[in-house]
Amino acid sequence: MQKNNSHWSAPAKLNLFLYINGRRPDGYHELQTLFQFVDIGDQLAITPNHSDSITITPAIPGVPLTDNIIYQAAIMLKAYSSLPLGADINLTKNLPMGGGLGGGSSDAATTLVALNQLWQLHLTEDQLAEIGVKLGADVPVFVRGHAAFAEGIGEKLTPIEVDENYYLIAIPDTQVNTAKLFSDPELIRDTPKRPLNQLLRDEWKNDFEATVKKRHPEVAKALEWLLKCAPSRLTGSGCCVFSEFKTKSAALAVLAKAPKDMQIYLAKGLNKSPLLDDLARQV
């Protein structure tokens, strides 16, 4: 076991498009979406040990340890060994909860990838992805670490290379309840499935956007401002919205004009997750 403290990236993602194709008998929704990573995210510092316990600092107010997705990921991984494996995990949380940037899913995936290496369990990427989907539909794309077209509930992944644009990501001061969003009778949930080559040619949209804007005026306000500057839309089923630019200078020019009360970040799209670089340094 590697006992040194190591630092691991948990990058954010954007859904460059997201369509809801229907509801399955089990209650899940069929989706078509395009995931790309960006160069902002959370950071995990992990020190493995033989304590047989998982500690996570700092604690998240109001969230018991057993409900923390990082803890759940570690416990699921521990089941693959008879040794008293443990770890001390320190989370630097930069991404908002419920923002649609995949923060929790990314944290869980980084935990799986990192501890598999640090505990020397030798599970394959496919095995880690299978564990990950039990934690959340978005976890496998973070485990695999490549931009991808996703179908099913988001777990059927096709790696893809798309333009690594620059983005302005605005974080409105609100939280979206995904369960309430899915139960909204006005939610678009019957977009016809299309082949990937057609989706890449068509104008990109997010089927959650209209419902989120209706329920959250803060999101509508941020999106209205961004749309004056560049193509913009919602990411995931959260509150965050983004604009895309071909050059960093174009993005910075718009950022300089942003309202003072708007929380907004510059980010670059990445087809390869920085988590894979962290892993390569450990191997």
Side-chain angles (χ1 to χ4, degrees):
M1 179 187 295
Q2 302 175 36
K3 297 186 178 181
N4 57 307
N5 179 303
S6 57
H7 291 80
W8 300 81
S9 303
K13 58 81 178 166
L14 294 176
N15 296 86
L16 300 184
F17 60 68
L18 197 163
Y19 304 107
I20 308 171
N21 309 118
R23 196 197 310 240
R24 305 192 320 189
D26 61 8
Y28 285 100
H29 287 73
E30 290 276 333
L31 307 172
Q32 289 186 306
T33 190
L34 179 57
F35 289 109
Q36 189 181 43
F37 308 106
V38 289
D39 63 352
I40 60 173
D42 297 339
Q43 291 285 329
L44 279 72
I46 304 177
T47 304
N49 56 51
H50 286 288
S51 68
D52 202 28
S53 66
I54 306 296
T55 66
I56 301 173
T57 55
I60 300 175
V63 179
L65 178 64
T66 52
D67 290 346
N68 187 315
I69 195 170
I70 295 173
Y71 179 84
Q72 292 170 349
I75 292 298
M76 291 175 77
L77 204 58
K78 267 171 61 67
Y80 287 81
S81 174
S82 59
L83 298 173
L85 299 173
D88 297 318
I89 303 173
N90 179 265
L91 172 66
T92 301
K93 189 70 182 163
N94 299 314
L95 302 177
M97 296 176 68
L101 298 174
S105 295
S106 188
D107 294 340
T110 294
T111 301
L112 293 174
V113 171
L115 288 179
N116 182 53
Q117 174 63 30
L118 297 171
W119 285 342
Q120 299 176 354
L121 296 177
H122 307 295
L123 271 65
T124 66
E125 182 182 287
D126 286 346
Q127 288 175 299
L128 294 177
E130 287 174 14
I131 298 170
V133 77
K134 297 173 185 174
L135 292 160
D138 289 353
V139 177
V141 73
F142 289 108
V143 166
R144 296 190 184 279
H146 294 280
F149 170 58
E151 296 184 285
I153 61 170
E155 86 289 6
K156 298 176 183 176
L157 300 172
T158 303
I160 190 171
E161 297 288 318
V162 292
D163 291 344
E164 294 184 322
N165 291 321
Y166 288 88
Y167 301 101
L168 291 182
I169 302 172
I171 306 176
D173 187 18
T174 186
Q175 281 201 349
V176 175
N177 184 307
T178 302
K180 290 182 179 179
L181 194 60
F182 269 115
S183 65
D184 193 304
E186 295 183 24
L187 178 66
I188 299 168
R189 60 181 97 237
D190 59 355
T191 298
K193 289 186 179 182
R194 286 165 279 174
L196 177 57
N197 59 358
Q198 181 182 344
L199 286 166
L200 294 174
R201 291 194 305 267
D202 291 347
E203 180 185 359
W204 292 353
K205 298 181 180 179
N206 183 328
D207 282 344
F208 285 110
E209 189 174 295
T211 305
V212 172
K213 286 197 300 180
K214 178 192 71 173
R215 299 174 69 99
H216 298 272
E218 304 92 338
V219 175
K221 181 181 177 182
L223 194 54
E224 181 182 17
W225 187 85
L226 287 173
L227 279 167
K228 295 175 183 177
C229 308
S232 308
R233 55 200 168 276
L234 187 79
T235 179
S237 58
C239 66
C240 294
V241 292
F242 66 97
S243 294
E244 57 190 26
F245 304 85
K246 293 298 182 185
T247 66
K248 185 176 183 180
S249 59
L252 286 171
V254 172
L255 181 60
K257 298 184 290 185
K260 299 300 183 200
D261 62 347
M262 181 179 286
Q263 188 178 2
I264 187 166
Y265 295 97
L266 172 68
K268 187 177 191 307
L270 302 171
N271 290 328
K272 178 185 175 185
S273 170
L275 175 60
L276 297 186
D277 294 326
D278 297 338
L279 180 61
R281 282 192 288 270
Q282 292 286 330
V283 173

